[in-house]
Amino acid sequence: MDPQLKRGLIEVCVLKVLSAGASYGYKIIKDISPIVEISESTLYPILRRLENSGLLDVYTREHNGRLRKYYRITDAGTGRIAEFLDEWKTVMNVYNFIRGGMGNDKI
Amino acid sequence: MTKSEFLAQLRRRISNQPPEEIERSISYFSEIIDDRMEDGMDEQEAVSSLGSIDTIVREMLPNDSELKLGSYPAREVSSVRIRDINCAVILECSDGDVISLDYYENKHKKYEIFLSPEGELSVRSKYSKMRFFGFNAFRPFVLRMPRSYRGKISLETGNGPIRAKDVNIEGSFSVKTSNGVIDIIDVSIEGMAEIRTSNARIYLENLTASHIRAKTMNGRIDAISTRAKNTVSLQTMNGRIHVERLYAEKGISLVTSNAGIHGTIDDNIRTFSIKSRTMNGNSTLPSNMDGGTKDLSVHTMNGNIDLHFLK
């Protein structure tokens, strides 16, 4: 998959995961992995970008005697999910068109 | 690899990032490893499942410019020559027996890298449009090599600093920039060390070589615990020269124009034949003294000469 596209999709997946409640790095990876392949090092810049654009915020909490960073979705983040779903209506239309054009048996 | 080994390696590999970025990345990966171990993995497993450090570094950095990595077995490389411009060049030691290059390319700047059949590794930056991007507009070029290297090293940039630390080089060592400072720390060279900049200072500490020649203009020169099997020559124009425990087997030459020359020489004054002169200043040295087998030549125009001998 195009890396740019993949990053964009993972961003929204992260937001979706967080919409169910605040979470931390390792847990986010576990939750997303079944949907799209992701590593710790790819998640890192994505979390940074989401934080910088105000779609999530970060707080630290003690866990088993060490600190763990938790990520929490913001209202802007929730808005971004809605926006994604709206934008991708067009993409889905195109997908269906192409899929129809190729004939279902070829896919 | 243990967690602390991994984090130390990661820290070294992203050392060109701003300090708060480094701490953020370290705490992120530290937390991931802890979480994996809490989930039942052992330490080695938790670290190794993160993947190779090269991939990690490449993926975690911002994607506006792309980090490139090159790696060559050190025994196949007889010399390294780097010609860059508008960015810092850093030489440091690495674990293992490879010469590695970390550098960034973007739409303005690319590198041509060529390894000749004779083992000459040549690196040259190319700009798509030749224009001035400002000092240090680009991320540093980092050359890593085994702590001991048998070949020859030549580092060249312009409008950027050069830093070399913690390496032993059996061949010669040449460092050249302009408008950028030079720091050479804990470096030992079997051959000759030639160090040159302009409009910036030169700082040498624990540098040993057969000959040491350092030259700048409009910048000061510091030489701390600098030692040569043959000769040391430090030359500037508008900057002071400061030496501490300077030693050379055959001779020392210190020259500036509009500033002082001061510090200590790790030797006995009687081993030298001295020629020294300042026009408008005081001097602790005789202007002409024969006797010793080594030459000591100290010259300035407008400044004091204040040199002392430790033996």
Side-chain angles (χ1 to χ4, degrees):
Chain A
M1 199 191 295
D2 171 59
Q4 205 78 31
L5 175 62
K6 186 175 169 183
R7 258 197 304 271
L9 293 175
I10 293 176
E11 276 184 27
V12 191
C13 288
V14 170
L15 292 173
K16 174 70 182 166
V17 164
L18 296 182
S19 68
S23 185
Y24 52 95
Y26 182 55
K27 179 81 167 40
I28 295 173
I29 288 164
K30 275 173 94 174
D31 289 345
I32 296 180
S33 291
I35 317 295
V36 50
E37 192 197 330
I38 183 171
S39 70
E40 289 73 11
S41 39
T42 30
L43 179 64
Y44 181 76
I46 288 171
L47 289 171
R48 288 303 309 279
R49 199 156 57 184
L50 290 172
E51 185 191 352
N52 289 340
S53 37
L55 302 180
L56 57 77
D57 57 32
V58 184
Y59 61 94
T60 306
R61 192 177 283 171
E62 205 185 304
H63 168 81
N64 276 352
R66 59 188 167 91
L67 294 178
R68 195 193 248 164
K69 263 190 183 164
Y70 286 83
Y71 305 88
R72 180 173 47 198
I73 193 166
T74 60
D75 290 345
T78 312
R80 175 72 191 104
I81 298 178
E83 211 178 281
F84 172 87
L85 291 174
D86 196 44
E87 278 167 15
W88 275 68
K89 272 185 197 151
T90 318
V91 178
M92 291 313 290
N93 286 340
V94 171
Y95 173 86
N96 288 330
F97 170 73
I98 293 171
R99 190 187 161 105
M102 300 271 291
N104 285 347
D105 54 339
K106 288 196 179 161
I107 294 179
Chain B
M1 207 187 314
T2 66
K3 177 185 165 194
S4 64
E5 281 165 355
F6 170 82
L7 294 179
Q9 234 183 70
L10 179 63
R11 184 181 291 277
R12 213 160 46 232
R13 291 300 297 276
I14 57 174
S15 59
N16 51 12
Q17 300 286 310
E20 69 275 12
E21 286 297 327
I22 297 175
E23 293 319 313
R24 238 176 211 277
S25 314
I26 295 289
S27 75
Y28 173 83
F29 281 96
S30 164
E31 181 193 306
I32 295 273
I33 294 169
D34 288 340
D35 281 331
R36 287 179 171 229
M37 286 165 66
E38 214 175 281
D39 210 18
M41 288 189 191
D42 68 37
E43 189 174 345
Q44 305 277 338
E45 217 181 325
V47 172
S48 64
S49 60
L50 291 173
S52 90
I53 200 125
D54 283 356
T55 315
I56 291 173
V57 172
R58 197 180 306 124
E59 283 180 342
M60 63 184 279
L61 291 172
N63 49 350
D64 53 331
S65 62
E66 201 185 338
L67 176 69
K68 305 270 184 167
L69 304 156
S71 173
Y72 307 85
R75 61 178 184 286
E76 288 169 21
V77 179
S78 60
S79 70
V80 182
R81 180 166 188 207
I82 290 164
R83 280 167 289 176
D84 208 329
I85 193 146
N86 300 326
C87 86
V89 173
I90 296 169
L91 167 64
E92 52 185 42
C93 84
S94 67
D95 314 318
D97 202 27
V98 292
I99 289 178
S100 65
L101 316 171
D102 281 18
Y103 54 98
Y104 292 85
E105 290 189 335
N106 58 28
K107 63 177 189 245
H108 301 298
K109 184 180 188 182
K110 303 263 182 263
Y111 285 90
E112 277 178 7
I113 298 181
F114 182 66
L115 179 63
S116 79
E118 292 75 35
E120 300 152 354
L121 180 62
S122 145
V123 177
R124 187 169 202 164
S125 61
K126 290 275 174 205
Y127 287 86
S128 57
K129 266 186 255 159
M130 206 50 203
R131 58 188 169 105
F132 186 68
F133 294 97
F135 295 125
N136 300 321
F138 293 92
R139 290 159 185 270
F141 187 101
V142 184
L143 167 66
R144 290 192 179 80
M145 50 187 14
R147 196 172 298 272
S148 284
Y149 176 63
R150 300 176 64 87
K152 233 163 76 167
I153 303 285
S154 157
L155 309 175
E156 225 174 277
T157 184
N159 308 322
I162 298 182
R163 195 167 74 222
K165 196 168 186 309
D166 226 6
V167 285
N168 304 323
I169 297 162
E170 279 185 33
S172 63
F173 182 60
S174 154
V175 170
K176 205 154 133 192
T177 179
S178 54
N179 309 318
V181 304
I182 296 181
D183 292 272
I184 312 284
I185 297 168
D186 297 330
V187 170
S188 118
I189 318 283
E190 290 282 323
M192 175 157 177
E194 184 136 34
I195 295 149
R196 208 164 165 162
T197 180
S198 56
N199 308 320
R201 64 160 175 75
I202 295 176
Y203 181 85
L204 313 174
E205 185 178 340
N206 287 325
L207 168 66
T208 63
S210 71
H211 291 274
I212 296 172
R213 279 226 298 263
K215 191 171 174 187
T216 179
M217 280 187 1
N218 310 322
R220 64 177 197 267
I221 300 179
D222 290 82
I224 314 298
S225 298
T226 291
R227 303 176 78 83
K229 288 198 192 73
N230 288 295
T231 59
V232 173
S233 158
L234 308 179
Q235 191 182 343
T236 177
M237 295 248 291
N238 300 309
R240 61 146 179 77
I241 296 178
H242 175 73
V243 297
E244 278 175 41
R245 299 178 299 280
L246 179 64
Y247 179 83
E249 200 79 39
K250 301 230 167 101
I252 295 174
S253 159
L254 309 174
V255 179
T256 180
S257 291
N258 300 309
I261 298 174
H262 45 75
T264 56
I265 290 174
D266 192 13
D267 215 332
N268 189 313
I269 188 167
R270 283 193 298 274
T271 61
F272 290 102
S273 289
I274 299 176
K275 283 197 170 35
S276 106
R277 192 156 114 118
T278 169
M279 301 254 283
N280 304 306
N282 301 318
S283 176
T284 58
L285 293 181
S287 59
N288 216 324
M289 185 182 93
D290 284 335
T293 52
K294 306 181 183 183
D295 291 321
L296 174 61
S297 157
V298 182
H299 291 272
T300 178
M301 299 253 285
N302 305 308
N304 295 331
I305 295 175
D306 187 10
L307 283 174
H308 298 273
F309 296 83
L310 297 174
K311 285 181 181 158

